Amino acid sequence: MSIPWPSLNAARRAVDLESLRRNGVEVLVVGGGVTGAGIALDAASRGLRVALVERGDLAQGTSRWSSKLVHGGLRYLAHGELRLARDSARERAILMTSTAPHLIRALPFLIPSTAGAAALTLGRLGTGAGDVLRAGLPGGFGSLPRARWVDQKKARGLVPGLRPQARGGVVFWDGQLIDDAQLVLGLARTAALYGAAILTRLQATSLSNNGAELLDRCSPGQSFSVEARVVVNATGVWAGELTSGVSLLPSRGSHLVVDSHLLGRPRAALTVPLPGSTSRYVFALPQLDGRTYIGITDEPVRGPIGEADPRPDNSEVEVLLETINTALSRQLQPEDICGSFAGLRPLVAGPRRSGSADLSRRHLIARDSSGVITVTGGKLTTYRAMAEEVVDIVMPILGRTAKCRTRRLPLIGAATPQRLTDLDGDPWLVARYGTEAATVSAEGGPDGAERVVPNLAVTVAELRYAVRHELALGVEDLLDRRTRIGLVPDDRAAAVPIAERVLAELSTV
Ligand SMILES: Cc1cc2nc3c(=O)[nH]c(=O)nc-3n(C[C@H](O)[C@H](O)[C@H](O)COP(=O)(O)OP(=O)(O)OC[C@H]3O[C@@H](n4cnc5c(N)ncnc54)[C@H](O)[C@@H]3O)c2cc1C
């Protein structure tokens, strides 16, 4: 059987680690979230020798706890941040039409009439402005339908669980990722295709202008120095632990997970303004796996940030349920929640300090006195532009001149929407793996088509594929990042023995 390249797995990790120790690299990227993976791809595709080191797993941090939206920046328009809105809309068009169409679908958002006149008027104005902005961008025109008013029947067709009092609503469109962790993985694997070493379980304990001290977490106690001509710190909300002079004000955003049938299996994201706000919303975001995520909050977090995953607190759960229930006929109760998750936004301290919702979503690129380049802040949607900016700074330091290629560089699995529609195969696998879906099935083994847990479409083949080609090294990698089974604790518990069996069976890979 032909093995698709690049296969990231334990064997390749060992080879790449040895090479990094012996030979060093030109660019060492620290942090395996969307920012670090995007930089590794940009740098490797310009011909640089690159290694990415991540202390946990790919997408271990904030990048897997997002709302999974590739968005055009409506909120930034509302805050008058035109450049940010334009950058977001441009990057959304690039992702949806060129680099990752397999991972993103167009999702309608419904602001129901029960949201009130002010929210509807602002919604119509904002979404109209968003359409104008998009139409002026390369690839933007025609990439999404235009915002419009829909009547009661159409609104209920989109969100059947809507209160009968809703007479209709404003519908606008945005991009939705099938899975944020899958985007990070796609970036890292594509970077590996261009020669980047992708090394997880490798923690940077200190950085300098000519390299870093690294701790191999697979071999406890194994610390070593590595040489690099440029070091990029892309450790998100933890960036300040490796460099001085970066000021972040982290903010927690939380989501609840419920079964979609409780909202009548919506086809659109129900969008309800938070009480007292006209620019902050609670969304009920339907997912392809039959679940709906309800989010999002924005809670300033003070004090040190550890490695443990953040958790939503009770007041966030209450606000999310209360707000979304104002638009639903069947009121969601705490016992309807089958899972929940939270992430920390790496917000860059800016001039406005009235609350974290008002802090800029812009990113920060800084070079400290030792020469280490730190990039943090921004958002998932604009990772590519951030990476381009960083590598444009790196190139002259190395005396190189190659131009950025990532605007037109498809990630592994990408294809045009038409080709993806024409692909023969399990629609679930096509939605997650694009053109690689057939390989995932083919390598599945005799029980490959079996579901890992009965109520989710995830198959045993996906677990095997993750170990062989996607650098899954443990049960957590398989259940919490390569698949998202772990979002619901009951599903996770049922899946652990199967994940353990697959890992044991493939331990010699
Ligand atoms: C709740 C929430 C919802 C969001 N929703 C959206 C959305 O819908 N759309 C959007 O565009 N953006 C969204 N964002 C923003 C977006 O998720 C983040 O901006 C983005 O994921 C940050 O990525 P990052 O790579 O910079 O950080 P991270 O993903 O946190 O990556 C940093 C990595 O560095 C690693 N690391 C830390 N220290 C070390 C070390 N010493 N050595 C090695 N590795 C280390 C960590 O383990 C981590 O994996 C959301 C954010 C939150 C919190």
Side-chain angles (χ1 to χ4, degrees):
M1 180 177 299
S2 73
I3 302 291
W5 179 259
S7 296
L8 293 179
N9 51 41
R12 176 155 177 187
R13 179 185 182 279
V15 171
D16 283 348
L17 183 58
E18 188 51 31
S19 165
L20 177 65
R21 291 176 82 136
R22 279 176 191 273
N23 309 319
V25 277
E26 285 181 296
V27 183
L28 180 73
V29 182
V30 183
V34 74
T35 308
I39 293 167
L41 174 58
D42 189 309
S45 61
R46 294 197 210 194
L48 304 182
R49 271 195 319 118
V50 181
L52 178 150
V53 298
E54 159 59 50
R55 70 178 169 192
D57 182 21
L58 292 166
Q60 176 87 31
T62 303
S63 296
R64 76 182 145 128
W65 301 129
S66 79
S67 302
K68 295 158 191 39
L69 300 177
V70 172
H71 50 77
L74 269 187
R75 261 197 52 205
Y76 314 129
L77 274 178
H79 284 269
E81 297 205 70
L82 278 184
R83 205 183 123 201
L84 198 52
R86 194 173 185 283
D87 289 351
S88 296
R90 184 196 61 229
E91 294 303 317
R92 177 182 61 185
I94 291 173
L95 276 159
M96 291 186 77
T97 60
S98 172
T99 55
H102 61 310
L103 293 180
I104 300 158
R105 62 171 178 161
L107 179 71
F109 286 68
L110 173 74
I111 310 176
S113 64
T114 45
L120 286 177
T121 308
L122 276 171
R124 288 193 92 155
L125 287 175
T127 53
D131 283 342
V132 173
L133 193 73
R134 172 164 51 86
L137 293 166
F141 184 75
S143 60
L144 289 170
R146 292 178 67 87
R148 67 198 160 101
W149 174 264
V150 295
D151 64 16
Q152 185 177 47
K153 193 168 164 221
K154 289 215 170 84
R156 286 180 69 81
L158 289 170
V159 183
L162 212 52
R163 282 173 68 187
Q165 289 86 340
R167 296 182 316 278
V170 174
V171 172
F172 64 97
W173 294 73
D174 224 328
Q176 183 188 36
L177 274 163
I178 175 92
D179 183 353
D180 41 14
Q182 194 76 15
L183 173 67
V184 176
L185 191 67
L187 288 165
R189 290 188 71 210
T190 312
L193 183 67
Y194 284 89
I198 306 293
L199 295 158
T200 55
R201 314 287 204 270
L202 205 53
Q203 177 178 4
T205 49
S206 68
L207 309 180
S208 70
N209 67 334
N210 59 1
E213 283 297 314
L214 301 178
L215 172 70
D216 182 359
R217 288 178 154 191
C218 286
S219 315
Q222 282 264 358
S223 281
F224 60 97
S225 306
V226 60
E227 286 184 11
R229 290 186 59 200
V230 178
V231 177
V232 180
N233 170 16
T235 52
V237 83
W238 297 276
E241 294 176 9
L242 290 170
T243 184
S244 54
V246 172
S247 177
L248 293 175
L249 297 173
S251 140
R252 187 176 60 243
S254 299
H255 290 86
L256 312 176
V257 184
V258 298
D259 271 321
S260 292
H261 73 80
L262 297 173
L263 295 88
R265 300 189 196 287
R267 290 192 297 116
L270 181 58
T271 305
V272 183
L274 265 170
S277 170
T278 45
S279 64
R280 288 184 59 205
Y281 296 93
V282 171
F283 301 100
L285 298 156
Q287 309 294 309
L288 275 195
D289 66 0
R291 301 261 159 72
T292 290
Y293 302 160
I294 298 171
I296 190 175
T297 54
D298 203 329
E299 292 293 316
V301 173
R302 314 208 187 276
I305 294 164
E307 272 189 61
D309 292 333
R311 297 292 309 153
D313 71 20
N314 290 342
S315 64
E316 290 174 279
V317 175
E318 232 169 78
V319 166
L320 291 173
L321 283 184
E322 264 174 26
T323 309
I324 210 70
N325 276 340
T326 60
L328 293 174
S329 52
R330 180 202 180 285
Q331 300 291 284
L332 294 173
Q333 304 299 324
E335 48 278 18
D336 293 324
I337 301 168
C338 57
S340 60
F341 60 91
L344 299 179
R345 299 176 185 87
L347 298 186
V348 176
R352 285 183 287 164
R353 300 277 170 86
S354 55
S356 62
D358 287 331
L359 284 168
S360 177
R361 263 52 172 170
R362 282 188 185 285
H363 59 277
L364 166 96
I365 300 178
R367 207 165 170 209
D368 68 17
S369 52
S370 71
V372 172
I373 297 171
T374 293
V375 52
T376 186
K379 59 207 183 86
L380 197 125
T381 306
T382 50
Y383 80 85
R384 195 209 60 81
M386 285 161 64
E388 178 175 352
E389 216 180 306
V390 169
V391 183
D392 280 350
I393 293 169
V394 168
M395 295 304 277
I397 300 173
L398 295 173
R400 303 281 208 97
T401 52
K403 290 232 176 321
C404 176
R405 301 173 55 188
T406 53
R407 277 179 198 232
R408 290 199 187 77
L409 197 155
L411 303 190
I412 285 176
T416 60
Q418 187 54 53
R419 185 157 168 239
L420 291 169
T421 311
D422 293 346
L423 282 179
D424 216 10
D426 178 343
W428 166 259
L429 293 182
V430 172
R432 285 189 67 85
Y433 302 90
T435 57
E436 282 200 293
T439 315
V440 178
S441 303
E443 291 194 32
D447 59 349
E450 280 175 22
R451 290 180 170 211
V452 181
V453 287
N455 54 335
L456 290 176
V458 184
T459 59
V460 174
E462 289 173 72
L463 303 186
R464 290 213 174 89
Y465 187 78
V467 176
R468 285 196 181 118
H469 306 295
E470 297 183 331
L471 198 53
L473 301 177
V475 169
E476 297 79 17
D477 300 2
L478 284 175
L479 301 185
D480 300 330
R481 289 166 295 264
R482 300 307 174 278
T483 70
R484 306 310 295 271
I485 295 172
L487 282 176
V488 173
D490 287 349
D491 292 343
R492 194 179 196 287
V496 166
I498 300 160
E500 285 173 345
R501 193 189 77 216
V502 166
L503 281 161
E505 176 197 306
L506 298 177
S507 60
T508 51
V509 171

